[in-house]
Each structure stands twice: as C-alpha cells, then as structure tokens.
Amino acid sequence: MKYRTVVMYVEIGCFVSCLCGWILVCSTLPTEYWTFSEVGSIVLTTSNYYSNLWRDCISDTTGVSDCKDYPSMLALPGFLHACRALAVSSVISGFFGGVLVLVGMKCTKIGGSEIANARVTFAAGITYLFSGFCGMITYSWWARKVISEFLDPTFREQKFELGAAVFIGWGGSILLLSGGTLLTYFSGKEGLPKTSSARPRRPHTYASARTRRTYMLPGSAPRRTPGPPLFYEGRRSRAATKTSLTFNRDSFV
C-alpha cells in the first residue's frame, strides 16, 4: 500500500474522530446536567437540583420540573463568563476545522496541489487542537470548582456533584485532541518546508598528493602581501647587463 493511500485513510479516520468529538461538545451546551444535587426532605418526595452554563433547574419525584435562566448577566461571576466563552470558542473553531479538513483532504480533491492541500489540512489540525484545548479547559475548570466546593468543609451552601455533561465533554475533547494531533503530524510532515541544520559541504576536489600545490582550495592558499617582483623572467638583472666602459689613449686624440 502506498504512503499516499495510508495518509488518506488516516485523514478520514481523524476527520470522523474530530467530527464525533465536536458533536459531543455541542451536545453538552444545551444539557442541564453539568452539576447535580439530590436532596430528600420527605421519604416520598425528593428534590433534584441541576444546572449548566445558562440556567438552574429543579425537579421532584412527581415529575414536575422548573428551569430558570440566570437573572442578570452582569451579576454572574467571572468564572461562569470564562467557561461560556471557552465553550462557544470550542464549538466555533471545531466547525471551521471541519470545513478546512474537507477542503484539504486527499480524498476530496477540492484544493490545488498536494502541498497546498497538506497545508490546508495542517491548518485544520491546528484548529481542531484549539477546539479540543478550549473544551478540555472548560470542563476541567468546571469540575475543579465543583469538587473543591464539595470537599471544602467550610462551604455552607448547597453542594453539587459532577453531571453527565462534564464527562461527555471530556470524551469529545479527547477525540478532538487526538484527531487534531494526527492531522497536524501527517500534514505538517508533507506540507511544511524541511529545514536542514547541516552545513553545506564544499565539493570534493580531484587534487592528489602531487598536484595539491596546483589544485588548492581558495580558502587554504596562504595569503601573500603584494609587492614588486624580485625577478623578471626572460631578462637579465641590471647588474649583469651593465658593462664596464674602457677607454684607451687613441679615443682622446
């Protein structure tokens, strides 16, 4: 089986995993069971209190339930606002990640070249990772607050336990993170430019031991200071060419 076919099946599996995780994260937003508490006042009557990011609800064994939205948005604590923002960011980024991965997958053939599709798939993997991290932070932060209040002996208000929505959100976030990690790895391996840290070597020369003085590398030649030549080939030195003048007695006559 070719490497391209293997990567194509891996991308399909990662897309299915991320899609299932995104659906699970979306399903937790309208679910009321983020926190749950059961209070039994009478033997035949039990009150159940549960809440989520948007509302508080109460029900009893008779089947009567009542939900009420939070009265004031500005009066809510900053913890609740942060959880809302992270949950909505997880849903939105997961949607755009699905659009990008549909464009960049090898089996869809919507994009351009192989490198361009790999880069689009890499962007989709990063988006899925962001979505998974936002979801994981939201549910983990919510669970930490609920557990710390439940185990605190000085906390006098009503104590809650973790609801089913938190566990569903954890599962969806894990699927998003695992699928996004594999997409990022395989697409980044193909689409991103490879940088080599090795220093380029000089080409080998054909200089032997005898011809080393003739074929020397430019950097290995010793430096010489420029100056006038001491000897000119083909000419004799001035001392050798200078003839001594002789005079005789007849030359003066």
Side-chain angles (χ1 to χ4, degrees), residues 182-196:
L182 291 178
L183 281 176
T184 304
Y185 174 75
F186 284 100
S187 59
K189 188 177 180 181
E190 181 180 358
L192 297 182
K194 299 178 181 179
T195 57
S196 178

Side-chain angles (χ1 to χ4, degrees), residues 7-21:
V7 174
M8 182 180 66
Y9 286 123
V10 170
E11 289 178 352
I12 294 174
C14 293
F15 172 68
V16 173
S17 174
C18 292
L19 181 62
C20 294

Side-chain angles (χ1 to χ4, degrees), residues 29-165:
L29 294 185
T31 305
E32 287 84 7
Y33 286 91
W34 282 58
T35 55
F36 177 82
S37 178
E38 183 176 343
V39 179
S41 57
I42 310 176
V43 177
L44 299 178
T45 305
T46 304
S47 299
N48 298 323
Y49 297 92
Y50 47 93
S51 61
N52 62 355
L53 297 173
W54 320 103
R55 63 182 62 182
D56 288 326
C57 299
I58 184 173
S59 64
D60 53 14
T61 53
T62 60
V64 179
S65 61
D66 184 20
C67 293
K68 181 181 180 181
D69 294 335
Y70 294 126
S72 176
M73 185 176 181
L74 298 178
L76 296 177
F79 157 77
L80 194 58
H81 286 296
C83 288
R84 285 180 176 183
L86 288 172
V88 173
S89 299
S90 178
V91 173
I92 294 176
S93 58
F95 172 77
F96 285 108
V99 174
L100 290 174
V101 77
L102 285 176
V103 175
M105 280 197 307
K106 298 183 181 300
C107 60
T108 56
K109 298 180 180 180
I110 299 178
S113 61
E114 293 289 338
I115 297 179
N117 288 341
R119 291 177 179 177
V120 173
T121 309
F122 180 79
I126 295 296
T127 309
Y128 274 135
L129 286 177
F130 177 76
S131 176
F133 275 118
C134 287
M136 186 64 69
I137 292 172
T138 302
Y139 303 112
S140 300
W141 196 1
W142 184 277
R144 179 182 177 277
K145 184 177 182 298
V146 172
I147 293 174
S148 62
E149 290 179 354
F150 186 84
L151 298 178
D152 189 6
T154 60
F155 187 74
R156 299 301 179 184
E157 298 180 7
Q158 185 176 356
K159 296 184 179 181
F160 292 90
E161 298 181 7
L162 296 178

